[in-house]
Amino acid sequence: MTGPVTMSIASVADMLTFGRQLAAQIRRGDMIALSGNLGSGKTVLARGVLEGLGHQGEVSSPSYALVHPYDPPHVRLPISHVDLYRLDDPAALIELGLDEARTYGALMVEWPERGGPGFVADALHITIEPEGPDARRLTVAVPRSWETRWPPR
Amino acid sequence: MAVILGLESSCDETAAALVDSDRTIIAHKLAGQEEHHRPYGGVVPEIAARAHAEKMTPLVESVFADAGMTLADVDAIAATAGPGLIGGVMVGLVTGKALALATGKPLIAVNHLEGHALSPRLVDADLGFPYLLLLVSGGHCQILRVDGVGRYARLATTIDDAAGEAFDKTAKLLGLGFPGGPAVEAAARQGDSAAVPLPRPLAGSKEPHFSFAGLKSAVLRASDSGQYAPQDIAASFQQAVVDCLRDRLNHALDRTDRLPALVVAGGVAANGAVRAMLQDVAAQRDMRFVAPPLWLCTDNAAMIGWAGAERFAAGLTDPLDIPARPRWPLDDQAPPVRGAGVKG
């Protein structure tokens, strides 16, 4: 696939639906990177993905704890919901154990920019921008590993 | 009387303390005490397990030196075993296990949230069970009914952001600097709390929970509009948080048996407007209001030592192979919360 693709999301409900569609395609080793300003809907999309993987219950923000792991049997695949918002130094990334988490599950990372250059290189990288109170425009960089899985439906 | 060594390293703070079962805080220390005014947490996250590891042993030595005690004077060792960032949690827990193994003294694996939940009893000998606890910090926003040591019923939790996180992110949006809580509170004193129309997410809702993500988005829109002074946004935001906390507390109190005391813990308890509201709610319902001193509201090891003392007195100790737990709800019977797409 050449260049990023764009798509429009009309509502919170649509964003959750898109998250569930993504969830159906997620495999071990995947990283989904979610960029966008505060309040753009990153955590809503993350909630859709987690629900699609089978999680029931709240999806609270991982901003404070940085990493919220979700493990089977509550989800069909181990996934870590990560928020690098508070990370000042990419050198500290190694302490979060993300490489290890990715060897047995998937990662979903908010504020991936804080991970430093190259962090999103092989990620499905979704950038969310507001187009209205609830409408959002998504710009998606689809890596080779997702080409046969894109678009999710 | 039992003396407990408490160890804490589950998030940003590395801390050690010695407390006894008679409520004496014999010694307590946080690493980097020059940064001791960080009431809402999350300024310079010390997420690195290595940094916790480098600080923990000197801290333990330092509290023993301050107390004029040695390991021989300790009856049990309490360490936070979760929830938190796994690498950090393991530093304190493994240190606790090593000391327990070397001395033959019992290990107590403490839930960090239980540390907060029981901390008011460390400073208030008259606070008996049960009580209603509002736990409001950078990472948590919960209402709990505390029925005894190890006995918690979660009545409400946030479905998205914690209240302290909303303060920190609002401070960032408004360019007020860190720590976010005190910065927003200071700006709010110069502003008009009715100037900016902001939502009160979930206020008046039949479900019991909190939500602050929509409020954060509304603050962003108000800030981007250029129509409002930052002080007015700060004051209106703080009032919205206070109104949400009040509404949700009243919702919980209306649905529980009469409880003698309303208790607050967590860094957001440092906010004067939040405290004033809590005092008012308690007075209206003829409840005692108990708030620990501010240093005990934020992460520290004295509360871990105290939770250890309470568990030790109840005969609750743990095997040395107990694992660290990144997620560890205080009430694992609480029904799951359907957060999806919830609107005011």
Side-chain angles (χ1 to χ4, degrees):
Chain A
M1 204 162 289
T2 54
V5 294
T6 60
M7 53 189 289
S8 289
I9 295 284
S11 64
V12 171
D14 277 8
M15 188 74 99
L16 289 166
T17 300
F18 176 58
R20 290 191 201 101
Q21 290 169 336
L22 276 179
Q25 300 296 332
I26 290 181
R27 298 176 193 153
R28 188 161 61 92
D30 279 341
M31 172 158 76
I32 296 177
L34 303 175
S35 292
N37 205 342
L38 287 172
S40 61
K42 299 182 294 296
T43 302
V44 174
L45 181 51
R47 176 179 294 140
V49 170
L50 287 162
E51 287 182 0
L53 289 173
H55 173 70
Q56 297 191 327
E58 69 270 21
V59 174
S60 59
S61 164
S63 288
Y64 186 70
L66 286 96
V67 182
H68 281 178
Y70 294 82
D71 292 306
H74 309 291
V75 284
R76 72 165 171 84
L77 171 87
I79 186 165
S80 288
H81 184 194
V82 183
D83 186 339
L84 302 182
Y85 182 76
R86 301 200 306 137
L87 191 78
D88 290 330
D89 179 5
L93 254 185
I94 193 165
E95 302 280 349
L96 298 182
L98 301 185
D99 290 344
E100 189 193 353
R102 210 173 163 182
T103 62
Y104 52 80
L107 297 177
M108 185 160 54
V109 185
E110 301 187 31
W111 296 96
E113 300 77 13
R114 310 276 169 114
F119 179 69
V120 297
D122 58 350
L124 183 74
H125 186 186
I126 302 171
T127 302
I128 309 175
E129 291 163 293
E131 280 193 319
D134 286 326
R136 298 288 186 269
R137 177 187 184 81
L138 308 191
T139 307
V140 187
V142 182
R144 188 175 295 271
S145 62
W146 272 83
E147 280 179 5
T148 59
R149 292 180 276 167
W150 190 267
R153 54 173 69 92
Chain B
M1 186 196 71
V3 175
I4 312 290
L5 172 66
L7 307 174
E8 158 65 32
S9 57
S10 64
C11 200
D12 295 358
E13 304 287 1
T14 322
L18 286 161
V19 302
D20 72 29
S21 52
D22 291 344
R23 297 185 161 78
T24 311
I25 299 163
I26 303 163
H28 76 95
K29 288 218 159 161
L30 298 180
Q33 296 225 291
E34 71 280 5
E35 299 161 340
H36 64 287
H37 279 299
R38 308 198 323 202
Y40 291 72
V43 191
V44 186
E46 195 54 271
I47 61 164
R50 189 179 54 246
H52 282 301
E54 283 167 0
K55 292 169 182 169
M56 187 56 89
T57 306
L59 270 179
V60 171
E61 287 172 342
S62 171
V63 292
F64 276 118
D66 281 9
M69 294 175 127
T70 69
L71 269 170
D73 300 310
V74 165
D75 294 282
I77 293 145
T80 302
L85 204 53
I86 191 76
V89 173
M90 282 173 65
V91 170
L93 183 59
V94 170
T95 304
K97 287 177 179 181
L99 292 173
L101 185 64
T103 59
K105 315 230 177 194
L107 172 76
I108 300 157
V110 174
N111 182 317
H112 178 84
L113 301 176
E114 181 165 47
H116 281 299
L118 297 176
S119 66
R121 285 167 51 82
L122 169 57
V123 286
D124 190 328
D126 298 326
L127 178 61
F129 301 116
Y131 52 86
L132 194 83
L133 174 74
L134 175 67
L135 174 54
V136 270
S137 65
H140 300 279
C141 189
Q142 302 189 351
I143 299 174
L144 296 149
R145 184 188 152 109
V146 181
D147 287 312
V149 176
R151 295 173 58 209
Y152 307 93
R154 192 189 75 184
L155 306 179
T157 188
T158 181
I159 61 167
D160 41 51
D161 297 357
E165 177 182 347
F167 270 97
D168 274 340
K169 289 187 171 169
T170 293
K172 183 115 178 167
L173 284 170
L174 299 179
L176 297 175
F178 281 87
V184 170
E185 188 173 8
R189 273 195 286 274
Q190 317 294 321
D192 173 2
S193 65
V196 187
L198 293 173
R200 271 70 173 156
L202 292 186
S205 161
K206 268 182 266 179
E207 67 169 297
H209 301 296
F210 297 95
S211 168
F212 293 105
L215 177 58
K216 175 184 69 186
S217 305
V219 166
L220 176 67
R221 285 196 294 274
S223 175
D224 283 353
S225 75
Q227 290 179 49
Y228 305 106
Q231 292 84 355
D232 287 342
I233 298 175
S236 301
F237 161 79
Q238 181 173 278
Q239 188 61 49
V241 172
V242 166
D243 290 350
C244 288
L245 294 174
R246 180 194 289 269
D247 180 86
R248 306 287 71 197
L249 268 175
N250 278 322
H251 181 99
L253 287 164
D254 285 345
R255 283 159 185 78
T256 48
D257 301 335
R258 195 187 170 282
L259 295 167
L262 174 62
V263 177
V264 66
V268 181
N271 182 283
V274 170
R275 280 199 176 216
M277 176 276 292
L278 292 170
Q279 258 161 346
D280 187 45
V281 168
Q284 281 176 6
R285 290 179 183 263
D286 200 22
M287 298 169 81
R288 277 185 68 208
F289 174 59
V290 179
L294 299 184
W295 74 266
L296 200 54
C297 284
T298 52
D299 290 353
N300 64 84
M303 70 179 190
I304 303 304
W306 174 251
E310 295 246 43
R311 294 188 74 83
F312 188 62
L316 301 168
T317 63
D318 294 284
L320 290 181
D321 62 352
I322 193 164
R325 295 177 64 178
R327 292 164 76 79
W328 187 1
L330 262 188
D331 173 9
D332 52 18
Q333 305 298 313
V337 180
R338 297 291 296 178
V342 172
K343 292 261 169 171

